[in-house]
Amino acid sequence: MKRLMLVCLVLVHLHAGAAPPGAIVLWPGAPPGGAAPGPQRDSAKGSITQVDQPYLIAHRPAQPNGIAMLLVSGGGYAHIEAGKESGPTANWLQAHGVTAFELVYRLPREGGGVAAPFQDGQRAMRVIRARAAEWGIDPARIGMLGFSAGAHLVGMTAVQADAARYAPVDAIDGVSARPDFAVLLYPVLTMQAPFDTTHAKKELLGAHPAQAARDALSVELHVDARTPPMFIAQALDDPISPPENSRLMAAALRRAGVPVELHQFRHGGHGWGLGKPGSEPAAWPQLLLAWLQAQGWMPQPAG
């Protein structure tokens, strides 16, 4: 009997349904290209799969300072690690006056195809910018922040903001999807050998993709002078995403004359979210605040 009750509780949790109350649904109808056939699954630790309707979770401060950030968790494009990444970071940003939005996006092998997460990233930026006045946001101070594979989604949105990834569905799609700045944390960015060992590459391209397919989804190959400024942080001992991802991206940005701040921690591994207290990566939130203030996006601290 106890085992049966436990199974029932797990099933109720896993099949909790689609967007939670108060979520901002991205598409007015079915998303382009389709979606997962079943109800969304949410694990006890905040890992999300089976996204049938992409949405935003808004974290609005009592006194917004005008800046907004769209947060994209990783998970190798196989799941979304919101519980460890976007959730805690959104709460931290909210405490600093930033209006933060967590993106719950479709995964490429769950019905929407390879284009699905990038469609959702574009649409999310457009929704936030289109409703900026309603939320007390400056439409010229909207950034994106991504973790791991989420940083790949952020990167692709930043370097190809105007790509026609879907047919326009309403007036919102006439709004720019370009982030004003981008933050890439322990990022997956390149699909080029020998750095193509990530699960994100496998989910997007399979085992033996054509070179053209690799090039199309290698973020660093699409950087140009219109690419927004970027803040990048990664540990040199990252066992999941080779540190060359950050180095290649920073080099491409510098060649294009785009401002970039790169932080490489000696130790830290992968998937650190806000960073374990006392660890090297735990410095990134304050480093990011200083960068945002220096660039003029965040107000300088009083005094």
Side-chain angles (χ1 to χ4, degrees):
M1 180 61 72
K2 289 184 178 180
R3 179 177 176 81
L4 179 59
M5 291 177 63
L6 177 60
V7 170
C8 290
L9 286 171
V10 170
L11 287 174
V12 167
H13 192 75
L14 289 178
H15 296 280
I24 302 159
V25 175
L26 292 183
W27 304 97
Q40 178 177 307
R41 293 171 177 258
D42 301 77
S43 79
K45 294 184 178 181
S47 178
I48 301 170
T49 58
Q50 291 292 112
V51 178
D52 53 353
Q53 183 58 268
Y55 58 90
L56 299 172
I57 301 172
H59 299 252
R60 299 177 61 191
Q63 295 182 318
N65 59 21
I67 189 173
M69 295 184 71
L70 175 62
L71 309 184
V72 189
S73 295
Y77 284 115
H79 56 277
I80 301 169
E81 289 288 353
K84 295 195 300 184
E85 295 178 336
S86 63
T89 303
N91 291 332
W92 171 75
L93 287 168
Q94 181 183 20
H96 285 81
V98 178
T99 304
F101 298 87
E102 295 182 72
L103 175 60
V104 177
Y105 55 96
R106 289 170 294 158
L107 299 165
R109 299 210 178 192
E110 292 186 349
V114 171
F118 310 117
Q119 292 168 340
D120 294 344
Q122 276 191 331
R123 177 72 181 183
M125 281 298 301
R126 288 168 172 151
V127 167
I128 294 169
R129 186 163 277 125
R131 298 179 63 179
E134 174 186 344
W135 292 323
I137 296 168
D138 181 347
R141 289 194 290 150
I142 303 174
M144 295 183 77
L145 184 156
F147 304 85
S148 192
H152 182 266
L153 195 161
V154 167
M156 288 298 296
T157 306
V159 300
Q160 294 188 328
D162 299 326
R165 301 197 185 280
Y166 59 91
V169 297
D170 55 25
I172 289 174
D173 288 325
V175 176
S176 173
R178 179 185 180 275
D180 296 296
F181 59 89
V183 180
L184 311 177
L185 302 175
Y186 43 97
V188 174
L189 299 168
T190 189
M191 299 291 141
Q192 305 296 321
F195 312 121
D196 58 342
T197 55
T198 62
H199 197 82
K201 175 263 176 184
K202 179 182 177 182
E203 290 292 311
L204 289 172
L205 298 176
H208 304 290
Q211 187 59 46
R214 292 177 182 271
D215 294 349
L217 291 179
S218 290
V219 179
E220 78 282 3
L221 299 185
H222 303 283
V223 171
D224 60 25
R226 297 169 297 174
T227 300
M230 294 194 178
F231 176 101
I232 307 172
Q234 188 170 16
L236 293 174
D237 62 352
D238 190 327
I240 304 298
S241 177
E244 285 79 7
N245 279 274
S246 291
R247 292 171 180 155
L248 289 169
M249 189 65 185
L253 291 162
R254 290 171 181 141
R255 286 195 299 270
V258 176
V260 57
E261 180 161 310
L262 172 63
H263 293 277
Q264 295 179 295
F265 305 117
R266 290 177 301 168
H267 306 288
H270 190 84
W272 19 267
L274 280 175
K276 182 180 178 181
S279 68
E280 290 181 55
W284 80 259
Q286 293 305 315
L287 292 170
L288 175 60
L289 285 182
W291 182 74
L292 292 171
Q293 290 161 357
Q295 296 292 321
W297 290 300
M298 281 274 284
Q300 293 286 342

